[in-house]
Amino acid sequence: MPSFAPVDEQLAYIKKGAAEIIREAELRDRLEKSRQSGKPLRVKAGFDPTAPDLHLGHTVLIRKLKHFQDMGHTVYFVIGDFTGMIGDPTGRSVTRPPLSREQIEQNAETYKAQVFKILDPKKTEVVFNGEWLRALGADGLIKLAAKYTVSQMLEREDFHKRFQEEKPIAVHELLYPLAQAYDSVALEADVELGGTDQKFNLLVGREIQRAYGQPSQIVLTTPLLEGLDGVQKMSKSYGNYIGITEAPLEMYGKMMSISDQLMWRYWELLTDTSMESINSMRQQAESGRINPMQIKKGLAAKIVAGFHPESAAKQAMEDWERQFQRDEAPEHLEQVAIPYGDVAVTHAGEKTAVKLDKLLARAGMADSVTDGLRKIKAKSVRIDGKVHSEPLMTLSIPAEFTLRVGRLMKKISIHNHR
């Protein structure tokens, strides 16, 4: 029989970084019964594999699953291969285009590889909801739909808004919350986790479980993580994200770019560090006993080490300090080889010239040639440590130099052959 930590200890760990628990008294009761019986709670979270790569914003929920796992409970990582083909309508003003089965299967495999950087694969039940939702068949789906009303569904904010604005709501979208709710029935879930934007779907799960004669699951929501700008939620579309497969130095550098205020939010939502320890660090920083920079370095190293080897995190810290505190080139710079013909301007004997704005775009250090020119004019471009503010650069081929734009630095080599 497994032994569980005292309920108060479990609750303190589980509540860290949680936005809302519905209802906390029910969770306490189930934790107490679990401790008495030695039977772990069944905790689930669903993920539709709509994109192949995860960023730190996605890991807030995965880390909360880990917290239940750390406390000895059974964790179900539900991959929505069936619901992904419907498309989650949450936060959508128009119908979300469904994914193909091929896209879903491809993304699902990538998800599994990435989530096990946080979850223990030996203690995680990875399940696909198509297993039970396809088995429902037409009869079962009609019976499921009969347990919820259209008026209840229209209480959902995004559906209500679209209805009021006379924008289309496809019938299959109304099935999404019911399908997600049936996941809880199939797994006999005690707890379901989701972001704050998923609250409606999670509450539908409570009702549907009751309709099938099961106790209602406890709902725990996690906040949407702010991106590097500290304003918008972390998202690839806003460009304010840190991908969990990014290179160590890139991850470390992005973490060091966040504000001191946002740093505490990241400590709370992206680490397993206790709130007691976080509050202690904050008090020391505010009293001047510790420089916030040192605390941020510790956070950046911890985040990098969560997705890369400890040695890579240590190297990233050393390279960042060399680059931004001592203004030296890091030991391990990304190397980019560019054919001269891609950036050439003129030939003049042995001397040659390249278009620097084109070079920046080609090296991935500017979004476009126009963006590259803007960076040059802003004096943000350094070549071997010296500011270069002209759009043309004369050099001998082959050439090798260190190119720096803001915080980004790469080793560039230009050669005559392709």
Side-chain angles (χ1 to χ4, degrees), residues 45-50 77-87 99 104-105 108 111 127-130 132-134 176 183:
F47 297 82
D48 285 348
T50 52
F77 187 87
V78 183
I79 294 178
D81 59 326
F82 187 94
T83 44
M85 290 191 297
I86 299 174
L99 294 176
I104 286 170
E105 288 175 357
Y111 266 33
V127 292
F128 291 78
N129 64 10
W132 51 81
L133 288 171
R134 287 191 189 91
Y176 187 95
D183 292 348

Side-chain angles (χ1 to χ4, degrees), residues 135-376:
L136 261 181
D139 288 354
L141 198 57
I142 290 169
K143 288 176 182 175
L144 171 60
K147 299 182 186 299
Y148 214 75
T149 68
V150 173
S151 61
Q152 284 176 295
M153 202 64 77
L154 288 178
E155 288 174 11
R156 181 182 178 134
E157 185 179 351
D158 32 29
F159 283 155
H160 180 73
K161 188 176 179 183
R162 280 159 68 180
F163 184 74
Q164 292 294 320
E165 294 174 357
E166 298 185 2
K167 291 183 178 178
I169 303 171
V171 172
H172 78 281
E173 292 182 273
L174 302 178
L175 295 176
Y176 187 95
L178 297 176
Q180 181 176 328
Y182 193 77
D183 292 348
S184 297
V185 174
L187 294 172
E188 298 182 12
D190 291 301
V191 183
E192 182 171 16
L193 313 182
T196 49
D197 58 341
Q198 286 286 316
K199 182 176 176 180
F200 180 89
N201 291 355
L202 306 181
L203 292 176
V204 173
R206 282 175 63 89
E207 291 200 38
I208 294 299
Q209 279 183 305
R210 280 198 299 271
Y212 278 88
Q214 294 182 9
S216 293
Q217 64 188 12
I218 288 95
V219 164
L220 186 152
T221 59
T222 56
L224 301 179
L225 182 71
E226 295 88 347
L228 301 174
D229 54 9
V231 180
Q232 302 272 18
K233 72 173 185 177
M234 186 172 284
S235 169
K236 285 193 172 183
S237 60
Y238 295 138
N240 62 356
Y241 69 99
I242 301 176
I244 70 171
T245 58
E246 287 181 13
L249 181 56
E250 191 171 357
M251 290 183 78
Y252 191 94
K254 285 185 176 181
M255 285 299 305
M256 293 304 296
S257 74
I258 65 173
S259 69
D260 290 351
Q261 189 64 32
L262 187 60
M263 169 178 70
W264 303 115
R265 179 81 160 164
Y266 278 29
W267 268 110
E268 180 179 359
L269 298 180
L270 299 176
T271 76
D272 299 331
T273 306
S274 71
M275 286 308 300
E276 185 180 2
S277 298
I278 294 169
N279 290 333
S280 173
M281 284 190 288
R282 189 165 191 166
Q283 287 169 5
Q284 291 181 73
E286 289 174 350
S287 66
R289 281 178 287 165
I290 296 182
N291 188 327
M293 169 76 79
Q294 293 305 116
I295 298 174
K296 195 183 293 184
K297 283 182 179 179
L299 172 64
K302 184 180 281 287
I303 296 298
V304 174
F307 303 101
H308 298 281
E310 288 274 357
S311 57
K314 185 180 178 184
Q315 187 64 58
M317 178 186 286
E318 290 173 1
D319 284 346
W320 185 88
E321 289 175 350
R322 187 179 289 112
Q323 185 174 344
F324 296 109
Q325 291 190 304
R326 300 197 295 273
D327 204 26
E328 301 170 6
E331 270 184 38
H332 303 280
L333 269 182
E334 181 185 346
Q335 297 198 0
V336 181
I338 299 173
Y340 171 65
D342 288 2
V343 292
V345 180
T346 59
H347 290 268
E350 291 184 0
K351 290 288 182 180
T352 50
V354 299
K355 290 195 68 177
L356 187 54
D357 49 1
K358 202 169 185 179
L359 175 64
L360 293 173
R362 182 68 176 73
M365 302 180 80
D367 294 334
S368 63
V369 173
T370 302
D371 182 45
L373 186 59
R374 182 184 61 78
K375 286 177 163 63
I376 294 165

Side-chain angles (χ1 to χ4, degrees), residues 88-97 158 162 167-170 173:
D88 185 2
T90 300
R92 305 292 289 193
S93 58
V94 294
T95 301
R96 185 190 293 268
D158 32 29
R162 280 159 68 180
K167 291 183 178 178
I169 303 171
E173 292 182 273

